[in-house]
Amino acid sequence: MLKQVYQFDEGNADMKDLLGGKGANLAEMTRLGLPVPPGFTITTEACMSFLNTTKELSDELKKEIDEHLSLLEKKTNKSFEGDKDLLLVSVRSGAKFSMPGMMDTILNLGLNDETVEQLASLTEDEAFAYDCYRRLLQMFGNVVFGIDMQYFENYLTFYKQKHGVKLDSDLTGDDLKSIVTEFKRIILEIKKKPFPQSAKEQLHLAIEAVFHSWNNERAHIYRELNRIPDDIGTAVNIQLMVFGNSGDTSGTGVAFTRNPATGENKLFGEYLINAQGEDVVAGIRTPEPIEKLKNDLPAVYEEFTRLAHLLEQHYRDMQDIEFTVEKGKLYILQTRNGKRTAQASVKIAVDLVEEGLIQEEDALMTLNPDMISHLLHPEFSKVALEKAVKVSDVGLPASPGSAVGKICFDAATAKEWAAQGEKVILMRQETSPEDIEGMVASEAIVTSRGGMTSHAAVVARGMGTCCVAGCSELEIDEFLKRVVYPGGQLNEGDVISVDGSNGVIYLGELEVEVTETSHYFDTVMAWAKKHARLDVRMNAETVSDIKTGLYFGADGIGLIRTEHMFFGAERLIQMRRFILSNSYIEREKALKVILDYQMDDFKEIFETLNDLPGVIRLLDPPLHEFMPTKEEDIVLLAQEMNVSKNEIERRLKELHEVNPMLGHRGCRLGMTYPELYIMQSEAIIRSAIEMKRETGLDVTPEIMIPLVGTTKELSELKEKIELYLDALMEEEDINVFYRIGTMIELPRACLIANQLAKTADFFSFGTNDLTQMTFGFSRDDAAKYINEYVSKGVLPVDPFQTIDKDGVGELIKTAVEKGRSTTPTIKIGVCGELGGDPTSIEFFDDINLDYVSCSPYRIPIAYIAAAQSTIRRASNNE
Amino acid sequence: MLKQVYQFDEGNADMKDLLGGKGANLAEMTRLGLPVPPGFTITTEACMSFLNTTKELSDELKKEIDEHLSLLEKKTNKSFEGDKDLLLVSVRSGAKFSMPGMMDTILNLGLNDETVEQLASLTEDEAFAYDCYRRLLQMFGNVVFGIDMQYFENYLTFYKQKHGVKLDSDLTGDDLKSIVTEFKRIILEIKKKPFPQSAKEQLHLAIEAVFHSWNNERAHIYRELNRIPDDIGTAVNIQLMVFGNSGDTSGTGVAFTRNPATGENKLFGEYLINAQGEDVVAGIRTPEPIEKLKNDLPAVYEEFTRLAHLLEQHYRDMQDIEFTVEKGKLYILQTRNGKRTAQASVKIAVDLVEEGLIQEEDALMTLNPDMISHLLHPEFSKVALEKAVKVSDVGLPASPGSAVGKICFDAATAKEWAAQGEKVILMRQETSPEDIEGMVASEAIVTSRGGMTSHAAVVARGMGTCCVAGCSELEIDEFLKRVVYPGGQLNEGDVISVDGSNGVIYLGELEVEVTETSHYFDTVMAWAKKHARLDVRMNAETVSDIKTGLYFGADGIGLIRTEHMFFGAERLIQMRRFILSNSYIEREKALKVILDYQMDDFKEIFETLNDLPGVIRLLDPPLHEFMPTKEEDIVLLAQEMNVSKNEIERRLKELHEVNPMLGHRGCRLGMTYPELYIMQSEAIIRSAIEMKRETGLDVTPEIMIPLVGTTKELSELKEKIELYLDALMEEEDINVFYRIGTMIELPRACLIANQLAKTADFFSFGTNDLTQMTFGFSRDDAAKYINEYVSKGVLPVDPFQTIDKDGVGELIKTAVEKGRSTTPTIKIGVCGELGGDPTSIEFFDDINLDYVSCSPYRIPIAYIAAAQSTIRRASNNE
């Protein structure tokens, strides 16, 4: 029979699939000889088998658990249900991937009305024993019986107020006995069942609850957000309880081996004396910085420092370590690679390489490409800061970044406003897993309670969202939706500016500006560029955007959208003249004027690009996009053009389309008005000629024909343009090399790519249109139901943000295979928005595209993703 | 070296690829011992080699032609360039497929200023000799030198008027000498080159001209229309001239072995005494019916009758035979399978089978599926005919059918009006190949000159277009755009009604009604149904349409569009109530009312269908289609609904979509409003239950979910509907079997068909939407540029009318393969418009679909096409 339970000393770090991340870690730490409280792990397979069958613990599993319990009793010389020294355990979930705050934990399991007395007499501390019991009741009631935590919290608050008690630790044994009685009553009343007195029954129910929690909604959302599969399940870790709340030589804490916000190589963490672990993470009491432990418990501090270093060396990455001290004895409860800010991630990566601990490739793999963009986020401008009015500066800089937005006080509102396009800042006394969706939707998170490792801080750093935590001088009233600060009061909807790098909050909206990148960022980017097989180009047409892209190391431009160049006032008039005129000569005149403008545009672009390649897409949108729609604008245009208003309306009617996305656009325009495409091509080549003459620079323009669906569209337009350009170059007696390729953005283009590759000098995938056509989704209209689909799990991701491998991806793959079957060397890139998405970039790398192209600010992301993909493929091939 | 020239007696009927249809036929007839004037054929390969290389006759080819000329001289004991008895030849094109009127012919080749005198003295008929010469000059000038025929015709008319000559045959030798002189002057003046006096030079130029004519525009259009490939080329036939214009015992004619209009088994044709072949076909003189030949030349008539029968027996199909009589000797110039009307085609097919000449399969292969629909065309109603005013009843019933339309007098106008959706009737004195496009666009063709085998008549019958020819009492003025008839005058744009079955033309618009089908039609349809592997279903939802489809033998319904059922006044109100209400209860109430209506609809459909299957598509169009758009209608609706106008406008704005085709429709509606789909499914099953209870009939509804793009859309909706229906049937304590399948109409659905097939009980391809998405063409908008694309050859066919095999077809094939890879037995059909197109049906048969579905009137077409496909595949597999 399949082994479903492992003692910690039976496993190791490689068994994450089976034991989960936490279980494998506990096993590994045990193997390393660290002071880990003993225990055992129930496998993820047991979980999935449980969830896929009866959803009850099988007799076999129960038997195996019993055997391991006996082993644990022997190891600790304590007894779970007997009369020896009392064995209490914690029950914790632990999936393969870290899911902080998502899964549930129960401490002190094994206590009941009798053993609590035993614990009291063993520890000679009745208050401690009953505090343990009330915690068990509370967690068990919540996690296993699904009773809202508020019932317990409210009663505790009520009791303390009634008896004038300020801190939990001031409660006496008698106080806690009353509270325990009340908690048992709450359970009985709401659940209609008493709290189970049998330790084994507690354990079985707790294990079942952990298993079930794999499928709770929060877990689903987290997995969706982090693209973790639904079918891997969670392990359950049952571990000897050690008590950080056993008095003044006890305590509990969390520490990072390096600073997770800045990356500084210095132990960083917090602890609470006389407390259990949940107290630190939940942010209910504000903990002390780890350095102070040196004063409180110097031996423990020294030992912990040693072990922390040992763990970092062993795991070769910054560690996030949970520890507990029980009456002076240090226990390590957990270690994992620590979450960190983007800033910290690049510094740590560079430092670890410089320390010789890891290679560049390993360092690159520690980075989260999506987060890299946070390094490029704007900061408040110095000028703005000089005049700024502070709301508060006592908060903790929990997650860096600068954000401006309207405040709101609950997750639902945050989500709703964000969906309407508002920038929102979520303010809570403290956050909890229920707030996840609201946190995702917010620009920044501000809390009045909790420390650097509180829920808000950890989650915000994980998402790269700006966060100020524990800003204790704010009185946040979530019910009345207002916050009182030393200088006044803010209401829901008021605008503030938040600086997560120093924890300061300002009134109103501050101006922002772009930051300079750091040495660490530059180093990491140089590595990425070195290791990435894919080239990364930018989508850009303004000089300032192109400069930004070049600054980030772009290998050229993947998409220059020429239509943007037609919207200047004078050009627009000429374009409208072209559209409205019935005379060929008039139209030619209009084009001539546009040609001169376009030449200026292209020369500027070529000058900025220097010798890098640039793909120029010929006019794509339907003509009606250049026409006015409002009555008054039409009247104005009629006057300007000296034609009747009726005439313009007639033409507008003629141009109107029921489904413009599927209408007369792209190369279909070029087929109807070849003179338009020829004019653009002429402007491109004339600019290149002038560049060559003036500066000697040889540019090789790549002219791209959009929306091709048939071979003849491409071949006829290409031939027409070539004939014209060849004559032009002969006339000018100068030669400029250029390419003519096509955008692949229709399903049909993918299917006939073998034919298109005979004519096209290059391919570039337009993933936006291709996704629209493949799904039959109009981006303009579909946002509503796509969001609905993603949140309901009908679609795993928004296919406009991350490649739909089964559909769109399949077509792209087909096109690449067919195209290369005709012309093995044809250059193929992607210029649609997916070109800047890490998951999509991995896919494009896998199918051997030559480059991706994305907006300038996403170039660093694309490089990291591309480098990671190359490294991953190399390691898969080993 | 490759043999490029064949004497007629070297070939046979199987060599069509190489010798063309005409050449192979001449060879076959020669082989059969028929009196064919001797000659030789230059192969189609020689043509393509000529067109693909220098476009000049190679020395090798010239040498081979010379050798065959010498052979011909020997056979005929005449001399081409020497001084013996004069050898004159005809030069005719002849491609593999018959292309009447499309390619060019030159007669009397070999004559020059000297030999014309020789011919005059040989034949002792100067007028005859010079008439031959002027014909040569005219044809050569036109075909080889590209001089407009008008120059020659005008001069001839002018000369005759000036000299008071009425008929060509009244011209004297001197007259014709003058005319010849003038014709040579015309050639010299326009072409700046004299007419070549060397017979060989004439021959070489003529052959080149025939080769070139393969690529002229008319030939291209004809090939496009008839889907003949561009790369097969034409052969050239060089044949001894025989002279039908050698006096009163000479003549020329065309005859069919059976009546091509009715199918009657009786020789049918026309001839002209003392004329050359072109005179009959061109419709310049109105010829005599073939029976009269019995009086004019009884021996020739008897011989011709014998040979005609022999040819029909040999070719086992009705023959279209060209013959010439030279001084009492009969020559057969050409035979081919005769074009025929739909009516004739079914009668001939049935007769030939009954005569034991062919099998059912052969008979089916003689039919043109597209034409079959003409048999079902409406006729003028008896009531309307009683009151009708005749324009003329002297015309020939050249091609049957009844048509109503506006008259116009040139092809360009006909085409333009038709493109605007007008029904047009083209009136010409006579038609010519230049008119083809206008003829295609017209409902009927009327000419004032020419007979049953004139250009207009032949082409119209070929296209199945109604035609009245040779209506001599009409004075058609193409320049002034009017026609004078015995009772008055009609101008361009006036409406007439034309009956091609009896040659009568009526004033104004006559009411039409459907005809009963004939015994022949029924027989042919029974054969088709017997031989077709594919089932043929109908797209229908009204009882009258369903009855029509059943009458034509439909195997069930492939598409019931339920949205049509929502447009009745009361239903529309409820639908609008559903759309406008914010209250779930209100919406439920509205649906309840619609449910009752839908039940009536479905019961009626089930009753009519009896035990045949029917696919019911759940609601597909976006909700805004059910809403009013006009100001006044909105105001009215606001009153009816008792809501504010603003409220309706707000909702309209909410429902508005930029690209409705890619918007919130199909199953996306079902995902947002599952209650809609559940209501429809309930109506379907409740109707089936009532049917079962009332009549004992077991119907198996096939419920189809439209626009599925993801597996979850299908699985979630299917599960919801099944849960509901199962509960419903349990409550009703009765069981009805039903299927739930999906429409495959998005590219993505094709790509994930293997996943969809796990859930779907059946697939049905929606080719309209699939074509829209694959090409990125909106049907609403694209007509303009699709027509442009088809006429320019960018697209070979309109992909909404005939399957685009490379793109859409490839996706369909993929979907079938993927779907069957999961569920080999899954039933797959097609319900889009391509389901009624013969070429597409052949494709659907090839990829092994189970059925096609089309509009009721196309069912016979679909059956014939399906049967032909089955027969073709069987013969390919032999």
Side-chain angles (χ1 to χ4, degrees), chain B residues 111-156:
Chain B
L111 280 179
N112 60 23
D113 294 350
E114 281 175 32
T115 52
V116 67
E117 284 296 337
Q118 198 182 331
L119 182 62
S121 71
L122 271 168
T123 56
E124 296 175 1
D125 188 343
E126 192 174 55
F128 164 68
Y130 277 90
D131 190 49
C132 287
Y133 196 20
R134 74 95 190 158
R135 283 170 193 267
L136 170 62
L137 288 168
Q138 191 169 340
M139 284 188 274
F140 195 94
N142 176 246
V143 172
V144 177
F145 287 164
I147 298 166
D148 197 316
M149 198 59 103
Q150 283 303 116
Y151 288 101
F152 303 108
E153 295 287 358
N154 287 348
Y155 181 75
L156 194 63

Side-chain angles (χ1 to χ4, degrees), chain B residues 230-364:
Chain B
D230 273 337
D231 63 353
I232 58 172
T234 181
V236 188
N237 299 292
I238 289 121
Q239 188 174 25
L240 172 70
M241 277 301 301
V242 289
F243 294 97
N245 51 351
S246 311
D248 291 343
T249 59
S250 301
T252 190
V254 176
F256 295 84
T257 55
R258 298 178 190 228
N259 187 311
T262 65
E264 191 190 3
N265 186 1
K266 191 183 157 205
L267 205 58
F268 176 93
E270 297 163 327
Y271 72 100
L272 282 168
I273 287 293
N274 198 18
Q276 277 197 329
E278 299 306 295
D279 299 335
V280 182
V281 178
I284 293 164
R285 282 163 58 193
T286 301
E288 302 289 338
I290 192 85
E291 293 84 4
K292 281 195 70 185
L293 190 60
K294 203 188 288 186
N295 308 333
D296 289 346
L297 301 165
V300 168
Y301 180 76
E302 197 179 324
E303 174 69 356
F304 181 74
T305 309
R306 189 183 68 81
L307 294 177
H309 183 69
L310 190 145
L311 281 168
E312 190 179 89
Q313 291 288 315
H314 179 70
Y315 285 107
R316 302 194 302 161
D317 197 1
M318 184 262 268
Q319 295 296 297
D320 166 3
I321 306 167
E322 285 179 23
F323 65 94
T324 285
V325 183
E326 191 182 67
K327 296 186 177 164
K329 168 147 180 55
L330 173 68
Y331 288 99
I332 303 295
L333 300 184
Q334 177 173 285
T335 190
R336 56 186 173 193
N337 293 342
K339 301 230 170 206
R340 64 206 75 176
T341 62
Q343 198 190 336
S345 73
V346 293
K347 174 161 167 52
I348 292 171
V350 172
D351 285 350
L352 290 177
V353 171
E354 283 176 2
E355 290 163 25
L357 214 58
I358 57 173
Q359 305 293 314
E360 286 174 12
E361 288 90 336
D362 307 319
L364 283 167

